Amino acid sequence: MTYELYYWDGIQGRGEFVRLALEDAGATYVDVTREPGRGTGEMMKLMESTVEAHIPFAPPFLRDGDQIISHVANILFYLGPRLGLAPKDEAQRWFANGLQLTITDFIAEVHDTHHPIATSKYYEDQTQEAKARAAEFVTNRIPKFLGYFERVLAQNPDGNGHAIGNAVTYVDLSLFQVIEGLRYAFPKAMRHDEVRFPNLIRLHALVKSRPNIAAYLASPRRLAFNEDGIFRRYPELDIAP
């Protein structure tokens, strides 16, 4: 069965957390809005349907046969066991879901550094507010969230450098993307902070070296970061803590 991923064309965004899991597992999938003859129109038609029983509010969402699953953490909770990227133990699976939901919270705060007032307004319409929000984010929120995940890695009783258990899970892949995105959007802040989070940096390197991930990163399927996505590089927002 071919999975169908629906997300905005041209940006990594939240959809990238799902792509990384699919790519690492070598799963067969299509990125619907990037498919000739399908595109964003097909995604919007499904979202705006007046007959579909399980309509998603916003992308990303995944179609698996007749099943439609929305929200990144929910999608990964669904895919994890199917792709071999989730713990077998039920208690650990719930913990993994909690970690992914915490990443979801963090990504929302990343987004709000450049859109602190309203998503309907351009960045240029809220630049001063963005500067204040980004300063708080860089000074307090990056250390808060990364410090938490650093402790999760350090306190994993199974070791091996993973967030949970002794093998790679979708949480590890998502933490890789978090570090990638922060390095793009806040390079000055990350150069200052990374020394404090050696376990996260080792995990990032471990994920990056996985064969399927390395091949994906080198392929045209991996979209470049840009100023339309979640992680955006605005030099005026990147300050040393």
Side-chain angles (χ1 to χ4, degrees):
M1 182 69 70
T2 298
Y3 295 108
E4 294 185 329
L5 174 64
Y6 291 79
Y7 195 65
W8 304 111
D9 187 17
I11 60 174
Q12 292 184 20
R14 293 177 175 87
E16 194 66 12
F17 295 94
V18 182
R19 290 190 195 102
L20 285 168
L22 293 166
E23 290 282 350
D24 185 79
T28 302
Y29 77 100
V30 292
D31 217 329
V32 172
T33 65
R34 301 176 70 185
E35 286 289 295
R38 301 187 72 176
T40 302
E42 182 174 330
M43 180 176 76
M44 297 306 297
K45 182 178 179 181
L46 183 55
M47 290 167 57
E48 296 168 358
S49 170
T50 57
V51 295
E52 173 66 49
H54 300 149
I55 55 172
F57 177 72
F61 54 93
L62 185 85
R63 186 194 286 274
D64 181 15
D66 294 331
Q67 183 76 45
I68 296 175
I69 309 100
S70 61
H71 290 279
V72 171
N74 199 31
I75 295 169
L76 292 174
F77 191 66
Y78 176 84
L79 284 176
R82 291 164 172 79
L83 300 181
L85 290 171
K88 297 185 184 302
D89 177 74
E90 183 179 20
Q92 287 194 326
R93 287 199 303 274
W94 284 112
F95 180 54
N97 189 48
L99 292 174
Q100 192 67 44
L101 286 164
T102 304
I103 292 171
T104 298
D105 290 342
F106 190 30
I107 296 306
E109 295 201 23
V110 172
H111 171 272
D112 289 349
T113 62
H114 49 77
H115 277 76
I117 303 299
T119 56
S120 60
K121 295 180 181 292
Y122 290 111
Y123 166 70
E124 290 75 16
D125 297 327
Q126 48 196 317
T127 304
Q128 293 307 310
E129 294 87 350
K131 287 180 179 179
R133 184 63 178 263
E136 165 65 17
F137 178 76
V138 166
T139 302
N140 295 314
R141 304 307 284 170
I142 288 180
K144 178 86 170 179
F145 278 96
L146 295 191
Y148 167 72
F149 289 116
E150 180 73 10
R151 286 190 292 117
V152 167
L153 291 169
Q155 294 169 207
N156 177 5
D158 294 317
N160 292 339
H162 302 295
I164 185 166
N166 59 6
V168 167
T169 66
Y170 62 81
V171 175
D172 296 323
L173 302 176
S174 292
L175 288 172
F176 162 83
Q177 178 66 6
V178 166
I179 298 300
E180 285 281 290
L182 291 175
R183 283 177 170 177
Y184 174 78
F186 300 99
K188 188 183 300 182
M190 287 300 285
R191 282 194 296 271
H192 178 275
D193 280 343
E194 283 190 13
V195 67
R196 302 165 60 187
F197 310 116
N199 291 312
L200 278 169
I201 301 310
R202 279 193 293 270
L203 175 62
H204 174 273
L206 184 154
V207 170
K208 190 173 184 177
S209 67
R210 289 174 65 79
N212 285 355
I213 293 296
Y216 171 57
L217 296 177
S219 77
R221 298 189 304 280
R222 170 73 165 186
L223 298 164
F225 287 106
N226 59 50
E227 279 48 76
D228 292 317
I230 299 294
F231 295 99
R232 303 187 185 186
R233 179 177 292 169
Y234 294 119
E236 62 272 21
L237 303 186
D238 181 26
I239 61 172

